[in-house]
Amino acid sequence: PAAIATETDMQSKLNPDFVQCLFALKAQVELAPHGGKRSLVEGIAKQYAKSPQVVYEYLRRECGFDAGRKRRADSGKSRINNDTLDFIASAKRESIRGNKKAIMPTCVAMNIADANGLEVNMSETSINRLLRERGLSHATLAEPRDHIRLRSLHPNHVHQIDPSVCVIYYMNGRQHIMDERDFNKNKPQNYVKIKLKVWRYVRYDHASGALDVRYYEAAGEDQHSMFEFLQWTWGQQKNRLAHGVPKRLIWDKGSANTSKAIQGLLDALGVMHETHATGHAWVKGGVEVTNNIVETHFESRLKLEPVETIEQLNNAVERWVRDYNANAIKFVDSRVIRDDGVPRSRDDLWHTIAAGELIAMPADNICRFFFHGAAQSRKIVNQQISFKHPELARPAIYKLDNWAQHFGKGERVQLLPLLGKGGAVRIQIERLAQAPLLIEVEPMTQFDDFGRDASAQVLGEGYSRAADSATMLSSKRLNELTYGARDIDEADKLRTTNVRPFANANDGKGMTAHGHLGDRVLPVRLPRAVGDVQTPQLMDAHSSSVESAPIPLVQLASALRKHLDTDYSKDTYAWLKAQFPVDLAPASTLDRLGEFADAWRGVLHPSEQQATGTNDVRASNIRRIK
């Protein structure tokens, strides 16, 4: 259809006289002998100031002329070797940069091919022509991938979000626009001067094409700006029809997008989020095109009517988004044209959303609960956990008995609240050598008049047991091994009656636990020399005598009295008091009472002591004892 339209347009632009001349020329050329056709065409071409090639083209298109020339037998063949041509094409392809620019000319690739023994026997122009004819040119190989066209099921089925730095920035209360002459890869220092850059966050709905834009001032892409944008773009705003939480979100691997806080919020909202592979930005081509629309249709207006603050900028873009989605901007056709060729406004397409497809964004304080770390750890008690869900007024009980075989008694699990699901939570149960088990559990809602679980067993009206947990299953397996009884009550009964463990394993003999000890022959070893402990404390204890505590003087006097018998008098104690003024005597004095007695008798009978010559000796003994 496109080719037919082109020919029709061409025919309508031709002069009717020239068209009649072409039909007459066709009849003459068909009757002209070989060699005369060219002269006829050249004559008409000169008359109408056109080239012979153009006239031949008009004859073919407008008049159906067929020159009748046969296709050459060697058509499609070339003198140059296919290996050489493939090498030249491959070398040029490897020089293609990320911006699709090839930096290796064909002549350079020809030189390299020749230097490596490949035959190059054609000119650069001929090789370039062959590369184009065989689909090996730079324009073809720069983007060899073909993309399939994808569709979404309904509005809010798939959203695409992309943050990018804007050419606008604000300093000292004024709007500035980055000039490419000052802000480029060769002048990175100019970017550093701008402390707070303006970031543009764009959201694109894949089904309807409805778009949304919000600007934030930040040093770089961060999770706080992303959180604020999600709250804004999925919330209901007065200047925008489209709103609600999508089922799937596609974006790139930005640090904010992959942060645990943002991912935790998306998990809680039940949004399936995925990042495209590096270099595959075409996956979110809708939002990439939307970024270009925002730049050309909105930001191009700001130079003519500047705004002074980021708040004024957002107010302006809100009004633009409102009118652009509704196709309400005069002279601007913002309708979406899809494969059927029917133009539709974006708001009209989004408004086809059905009941159950529009999920409201929860309140800001609830979303912030998840943004600041929603993952919780809870201990399983009696196969249930208690948790205060942010959407519920009071703590709720979540029963896990249906999955009891996957966890042990008292085990801790990771818990993530889900939004918009009546207080349901997602629980992650770790499993050995397996992927974690993810389950969604709703809170207990059926209670009796006394606040207890309405499904619980009534006392005296039956008998029921808790589901076997992983701990109970392990215990039963060990009971069967130990006592041959899998039931825990039967095993406990055998245990309390002192039944020998493991007797069932070897005909009632049981396991040998210590009877085998002492039978093994040990190697003979030579005795080692033994030395004394050589510590200063122990050496001092051996070198000095240990002295006992002193005794009261009264105790010494009583012992001396028994020893002196009749020679003891009231003056004896006074004499002892003079020898030991502190009322304490060494304990060793009790072993030398005879020496004290002789000294006291010398005091009573000094003449006798002088006659014997022992008085001085006894006095020295008293001093030694003291």
Side-chain angles (χ1 to χ4, degrees), residues 216-233:
Y216 297 91
E217 269 190 312
E221 181 183 352
D222 59 71
Q223 60 184 5
H224 295 282
S225 298
M226 178 60 71
F227 173 79
E228 296 294 339
F229 179 67
L230 294 180
Q231 284 290 101
W232 168 268
T233 193

Side-chain angles (χ1 to χ4, degrees), residues 376-397:
Q376 305 283 330
S377 176
R378 288 294 184 273
K379 183 178 181 180
I380 301 176
V381 179
N382 294 329
Q383 300 183 5
Q384 62 188 26
I385 59 176
S386 175
F387 177 68
K388 171 64 173 65
H389 196 285
E391 288 185 337
L392 302 181
R394 58 182 60 86
I397 300 297

Side-chain angles (χ1 to χ4, degrees), residues 426-447:
R426 180 178 299 162
I427 295 177
Q428 177 176 311
I429 302 176
E430 299 295 336
R431 296 184 294 180
L432 185 62
Q434 298 184 62
L437 177 66
L438 297 177
I439 58 175
E440 289 189 9
V441 187
E442 296 181 354
M444 187 189 303
T445 56
Q446 301 298 323
F447 305 96

Side-chain angles (χ1 to χ4, degrees), residues 229-271:
F229 179 67
L230 294 180
Q231 284 290 101
W232 168 268
T233 193
W234 290 344
Q236 191 168 7
Q237 310 300 333
K238 62 180 181 180
N239 284 333
R240 176 168 37 82
L241 177 65
H243 66 281
V245 179
K247 296 185 179 299
R248 184 181 295 271
L249 176 62
I250 300 176
W251 51 10
D252 57 26
K253 296 177 185 259
S255 58
N257 306 348
T258 56
S259 67
K260 290 189 178 297
I262 294 296
Q263 291 187 356
L265 174 63
L266 296 177
D267 290 339
L269 293 170
V271 178

